[in-house]
Amino acid sequence: MALGRPVWRATRSAIQALLSKDDSQLRDNKQLLETALVPLDTVKMHLPAKIGDYTDFYCSREHATNVGIMFRGKDNALQPNWLHIPVGYHGRASSVVVSGTDIRRPAGQKLPSKDSKQPVFGPSTRLDIELEVGWFVGSGNKLGERIELKDAQDQIFGLVLVNDWSARDIQAWEYVPLGPFLGKSFGTTISPWIVTLDALEPFLVDGPDQSSPLPLPYLQESRPSAYDINLQVQIKPAEASHFETVTVSNLKYMYWSITQQLAHHTVNGCNLRPGDMGATGTISGPEKGSYGSLLEITWSGQEKIKFQDGVERVFLEDGDEVKITGFAMKDNYRIGFGQCAGKVLPCLYN
């Protein structure tokens, strides 16, 4: 990643050439084929990079509006700064895990009821998912310098799928005044395959309108910066026999682009390093079927999700499995992201 986009492109082109049906170098060499190509079912996937730092953003207008309505009312849904900056917080890199890793239900302080003033300690009972997309930093920048928006695409190596597991009851008690902490830091799952921005270039589209208010000059995009990537969340309750879809969304709904996120992250001179990861925050679309969290789908637990086996959920229960998938499609080809999956294990502490 540190070598920069020209090397990424050259490497990608070389691999494409080797795998082409028109290239005999690999195609006609049986011994080389057996060495180079490994059956997928014999492979154990790992994290795609050593993630030094992880920043989680809050960049979906629909998600921020929905959450704001729930907790502050329709007239104050968005905070005054939201349409001016890509809001973010520093996440926990040590608990980012690869798809297929089980997630242990967290315990922490929480209020036992809405009107309570004193917290109690115990396992989270409002365990949630967040549908996100992550991006990996390429060569990065020096401390004190910034990455200009026009150069940001050259600094992002590629994208992965992200489930930023969230304990809503722990988060609700702790987040004032400094934002999320233990309600988020217990686990973040990512897909193992990084899809490069070069591969995704054909899927660039215009993002949501940002004309009112217009961002400050350093955040003003002059070219398409959103990506038309289809996203899906499926859940298999512990008592159920199969996965069912609970959300279908798209990265193109994201208000603040990944390049705006990167540019804003470095505008104060913060240095980003190769392998650092950013994540978009929950991606929600305009309709209920495209909301990216159970908090929104159930409207903070007021509406149950009904599965075909007769199972109902408002938040995740022990033994539930979550699977996020994504793909981009154009004309006669499709680019997949693999999957981002995890299973909820019981809490160890009461």
Side-chain angles (χ1 to χ4, degrees):
M1 293 181 187
L3 296 176
R5 199 169 192 181
V7 174
W8 309 339
R9 282 178 166 164
T11 304
R12 179 171 179 260
S13 295
I15 294 172
Q16 286 178 320
L18 281 171
L19 294 176
S20 170
K21 63 181 177 61
D22 300 321
D23 189 293
S24 61
Q25 185 176 352
L26 182 61
R27 183 195 65 201
D28 298 340
N29 189 328
K30 185 178 179 181
Q31 184 178 359
L32 183 58
L33 268 175
E34 291 176 350
T35 302
L37 302 183
V38 181
L40 190 58
D41 59 4
T42 66
V43 173
K44 176 179 172 57
M45 301 304 295
H46 298 272
L47 287 172
K50 184 177 181 180
I51 302 170
D53 282 298
Y54 160 47
T55 302
D56 194 27
F57 287 86
Y58 187 55
C59 288
S60 164
R61 184 171 186 171
E62 289 80 5
H63 173 67
T65 299
N66 289 337
V67 174
I69 291 172
M70 285 181 219
F71 297 107
R72 292 185 298 274
K74 190 172 183 180
D75 293 337
N76 298 298
L78 288 181
Q79 298 282 17
N81 63 353
W82 201 93
L83 292 171
H84 296 276
I85 60 172
V87 174
Y89 71 94
H90 193 70
R92 185 70 188 174
S94 66
S95 54
V96 177
V97 297
V98 72
S99 176
T101 304
D102 294 336
I103 296 295
R104 183 72 65 176
R105 179 179 299 274
Q109 290 192 29
K110 56 185 181 175
L111 293 178
S113 67
K114 186 176 181 180
D115 299 325
S116 298
K117 302 298 182 184
Q118 291 294 323
V120 297
F121 180 87
S124 171
T125 57
R126 291 167 66 90
L127 184 58
D128 200 354
I129 56 101
E130 287 192 343
L131 168 62
E132 305 191 21
V133 169
W135 46 268
F136 277 88
V137 176
S139 50
N141 59 303
K142 295 179 180 178
L143 182 65
E145 299 180 0
R146 71 185 192 186
I147 297 173
E148 302 290 345
L149 188 59
K150 64 180 177 62
D151 301 320
Q153 280 190 10
D154 292 334
Q155 291 289 342
I156 296 176
F157 179 71
L159 307 183
V160 294
L161 303 174
V162 175
N163 181 2
D164 194 32
W165 306 83
S166 302
R168 299 298 184 189
D169 42 3
I170 297 173
Q171 181 183 357
W173 171 240
E174 72 180 3
Y175 84 99
V176 177
L178 293 180
F181 185 31
L182 302 184
K184 294 280 195 174
S185 62
F186 61 93
T188 300
T189 303
I190 69 172
S191 55
W193 302 98
I194 301 179
V195 181
T196 65
L197 290 199
D198 282 332
L200 295 171
E201 200 163 272
F203 305 98
L204 277 166
V205 294
D206 290 324
D209 178 64
Q210 294 185 345
S211 62
S212 181
L214 197 65
L216 293 177
Y218 79 93
L219 285 173
Q220 291 178 16
E221 295 277 18
S222 59
R223 56 185 176 179
S225 58
Y227 289 88
D228 184 6
I229 299 173
N230 299 286
L231 302 167
Q232 179 176 258
V233 179
Q234 294 179 301
I235 294 177
K236 179 181 175 292
E239 313 94 305
S241 58
H242 59 279
F243 281 92
E244 292 185 44
T245 301
V246 296
T247 291
V248 176
S249 195
N250 196 297
L251 182 57
K252 68 183 179 183
Y253 297 137
M254 187 64 51
Y255 187 83
W256 294 106
S257 67
I258 60 171
T259 42
Q260 287 173 317
Q261 292 166 36
L262 177 66
H264 183 66
H265 200 320
T266 66
V267 74
N268 68 339
C270 173
N271 57 317
L272 299 182
R273 297 170 294 188
D276 283 356
M277 190 181 88
T280 57
T282 305
I283 301 166
S284 291
E287 301 169 348
K288 185 175 181 179
S290 59
Y291 293 170
S293 67
L294 300 183
L295 180 69
E296 295 166 272
I297 297 170
T298 68
W299 209 252
S300 193
Q302 296 179 36
E303 304 171 18
K304 294 181 179 179
I305 302 173
K306 299 182 185 297
F307 293 88
Q308 290 179 8
D309 291 347
V311 180
E312 296 180 338
R313 287 288 185 270
V314 285
F315 290 100
L316 295 173
E317 301 289 344
D318 293 344
D320 289 355
E321 298 179 51
V322 179
K323 179 169 62 178
I324 295 175
T325 53
F327 67 91
M329 182 175 288
K330 196 178 187 70
D331 300 327
N332 62 344
Y333 69 96
R334 167 180 171 135
I335 295 178
F337 278 72
Q339 67 179 30
C340 173
K343 181 179 181 179
V344 179
L345 297 185
C347 184
L348 294 176
Y349 310 102
N350 295 312

